[in-house]
Amino acid sequence: MSRNRVFVPVITTLMSADPFIHGDDNNIQYKISYGHELENQNLVFKIQMVGNGYIKGRQAPSIFR
């Protein structure tokens, strides 16, 4: 099943997550992207969680203080 892309990143970087919060074995990273949406060309700043090389689409990043 192919999915149509809605967001096109212009620049993307990965940042390692704190292993104390997510555990050492999960290999969690944050994918931080800046780009635009295809339908209306709005600029978007997007943060996603990545685990073992795959975007965790149903898991939202959170801030722990």
Side-chain angles (χ1 to χ4, degrees):
M1 170 187 270
S2 66
R3 295 173 59 183
N4 293 335
R5 291 185 66 159
V6 175
F7 175 74
V8 177
V10 174
I11 188 167
T12 298
T13 189
L14 290 172
M15 184 176 92
S16 295
D18 188 347
F20 177 74
I21 297 171
H22 297 287
D24 290 329
D25 58 337
N26 290 334
N27 193 21
I28 299 293
Q29 296 177 306
Y30 295 107
K31 180 179 178 183
I32 305 163
S33 303
Y34 181 75
H36 63 273
E37 294 180 342
L38 290 178
E39 293 180 1
N40 53 19
Q41 300 298 312
N42 286 337
L43 292 173
V44 177
F45 180 74
K46 193 172 197 177
I47 300 174
Q48 298 170 298
M49 289 186 73
V50 178
N52 296 322
Y54 296 99
I55 293 176
K56 298 175 152 283
R58 296 184 181 263
Q59 187 171 1
S62 60
I63 298 172
F64 182 81
R65 293 184 182 191

